[in-house]
Every structure is written in C-alpha cells, then in structure tokens.
Coordinates of all heavy atoms in Angstrom, one line a residue:
L1 N 0.9 -1.2 0.0 CA 0.0 0.0 0.0 C 0.8 1.2 0.0 O 0.6 2.3 -0.6 CB -0.9 0.0 1.2 CG -1.8 1.2 1.3 CD1 -2.8 1.2 0.1 CD2 -2.7 1.2 2.6
L2 N 2.0 1.2 0.7 CA 2.9 2.4 0.7 C 3.4 2.7 -0.6 O 3.4 3.9 -1.1 CB 4.0 2.1 1.7 CG 5.1 3.2 1.8 CD1 4.4 4.5 2.1 CD2 6.2 2.9 2.7
W3 N 3.8 1.6 -1.4 CA 4.4 1.9 -2.7 C 3.3 2.3 -3.7 O 3.5 3.1 -4.6 CB 5.1 0.6 -3.3 CG 6.4 0.4 -2.7 CD1 6.8 -0.5 -1.8 CD2 7.6 1.2 -2.8 NE1 8.1 -0.3 -1.4 CE2 8.6 0.8 -2.0 CE3 7.7 2.4 -3.6 CZ2 9.8 1.4 -1.9 CZ3 9.0 3.0 -3.5 CH2 10.1 2.5 -2.7
L4 N 2.0 1.7 -3.5 CA 0.9 2.2 -4.3 C 0.7 3.6 -4.0 O 0.3 4.4 -4.9 CB -0.3 1.4 -4.0 CG -0.3 -0.1 -4.5 CD1 -1.5 -0.8 -4.1 CD2 -0.1 -0.2 -6.0
G5 N 0.7 4.1 -2.7 CA 0.6 5.4 -2.4 C 1.6 6.4 -3.0 O 1.3 7.5 -3.5
V6 N 2.8 5.9 -3.0 CA 3.9 6.7 -3.6 C 3.6 6.8 -5.1 O 3.9 7.9 -5.7 CB 5.3 6.0 -3.3 CG1 6.3 6.7 -4.1 CG2 5.6 6.2 -1.8
G7 N 3.2 5.7 -5.7 CA 2.9 5.8 -7.1 C 1.8 6.8 -7.6 O 1.9 7.5 -8.6
L8 N 0.8 6.7 -6.7 CA -0.4 7.7 -6.9 C 0.1 9.1 -6.7 O -0.2 9.9 -7.5 CB -1.5 7.4 -6.0 CG -2.7 8.4 -6.0 CD1 -3.3 8.4 -7.5 CD2 -3.8 8.0 -5.0
A9 N 0.9 9.4 -5.7 CA 1.4 10.7 -5.4 C 2.3 11.2 -6.6 O 2.2 12.4 -6.9 CB 2.2 10.8 -4.1
A10 N 3.2 10.3 -7.1 CA 4.1 10.7 -8.0 C 3.4 11.0 -9.4 O 3.7 12.0 -10.0 CB 5.2 9.6 -8.3
S11 N 2.4 10.1 -9.7 CA 1.7 10.4 -11.0 C 0.8 11.6 -10.9 O 0.7 12.3 -11.9 CB 0.8 9.2 -11.3 OG 0.0 8.8 -10.2
A12 N 0.2 11.9 -9.7 CA -0.6 13.1 -9.5 C 0.3 14.3 -9.6 O -0.1 15.3 -10.2 CB -1.2 13.1 -8.2
L13 N 1.6 14.3 -9.1 CA 2.5 15.4 -9.2 C 2.9 15.7 -10.7 O 2.9 16.7 -11.1 CB 3.6 15.2 -8.3 CG 4.7 16.3 -8.2 CD1 4.1 17.6 -7.7 CD2 5.8 15.9 -7.4
L14 N 3.1 14.5 -11.4 CA 3.6 14.6 -12.8 C 2.5 15.1 -13.8 O 2.7 15.5 -14.9 CB 4.1 13.3 -13.2 CG 5.5 12.9 -12.8 CD1 5.9 11.5 -13.1 CD2 6.5 13.8 -13.2
S15 N 1.3 15.0 -13.2 CA 0.1 15.4 -14.1 C 0.1 16.8 -14.5 O -0.5 17.2 -15.4 CB -1.2 15.1 -13.4 OG -1.4 15.9 -12.2
L16 N 0.9 17.6 -13.7 CA 1.0 19.1 -14.1 C 2.0 19.3 -15.3 O 1.7 20.2 -16.0 CB 1.6 19.8 -12.9 CG 0.8 20.0 -11.6 CD1 1.5 20.7 -10.5 CD2 -0.5 20.7 -12.0
T17 N 2.9 18.4 -15.5 CA 3.8 18.6 -16.7 C 3.6 17.5 -17.8 O 3.9 17.7 -18.9 CB 5.2 18.6 -16.2 OG1 5.5 17.4 -15.5 CG2 5.5 19.8 -15.2
M18 N 3.2 16.3 -17.3 CA 3.0 15.2 -18.3 C 1.6 14.6 -18.1 O 1.5 13.4 -17.9 CB 4.1 14.1 -18.1 CG 5.5 14.7 -18.2 SD 6.8 13.5 -17.6 CE 6.4 12.1 -18.7
P19 N 0.6 15.3 -18.3 CA -0.7 14.7 -18.0 C -1.2 13.6 -18.9 O -1.9 12.6 -18.4 CB -1.7 16.0 -18.2 CG -0.9 16.9 -19.3 CD 0.5 16.7 -18.8
V20 N -0.7 13.5 -20.1 CA -1.1 12.4 -21.0 C -0.7 11.1 -20.5 O -1.4 10.0 -20.6 CB -0.6 12.7 -22.5 CG1 -0.9 11.5 -23.4 CG2 -1.2 13.9 -23.0
V21 N 0.5 11.0 -19.9 CA 1.0 9.9 -19.4 C 0.6 9.6 -17.9 O 0.3 8.5 -17.4 CB 2.6 9.8 -19.5 CG1 3.2 8.6 -18.8 CG2 3.0 9.9 -20.9
A22 N 0.7 10.7 -17.2 CA 0.5 10.7 -15.6 C -0.9 10.4 -15.2 O -1.1 9.7 -14.3 CB 1.0 12.0 -15.0
V23 N -1.9 10.9 -15.9 CA -3.3 10.7 -15.4 C -3.7 9.2 -15.6 O -4.3 8.7 -14.7 CB -4.3 11.6 -16.2 CG1 -5.7 11.3 -15.9 CG2 -3.9 13.1 -15.8
P24 N -3.4 8.6 -16.7 CA -3.7 7.2 -16.8 C -3.0 6.4 -15.7 O -3.6 5.4 -15.2 CB -3.2 6.8 -18.2 CG -3.4 8.0 -19.0 CD -3.0 9.1 -18.1

C-alpha cells in the first residue's frame, strides 16, 4: 500500500507537466 501510495502521489504530481502519461 505504501508503494501504491507513492505511485499515486508521483503520478498526480507529474500530471502538471506530463498529463497524457501521468493521469492514466
């Protein structure tokens, strides 16, 4: 769960600069 949380947090942060990849 911790790693899944880190993955969600990282992809959410990247959604500002790489939304096409980060949001999926």
Side-chain angles (χ1 to χ4, degrees):
L1 181 61
L2 177 59
W3 284 111
L4 291 176
V6 170
L8 176 60
S11 56
L13 185 59
L14 286 174
S15 67
L16 292 177
T17 56
M18 303 171 56
V20 175
V21 175
V23 172

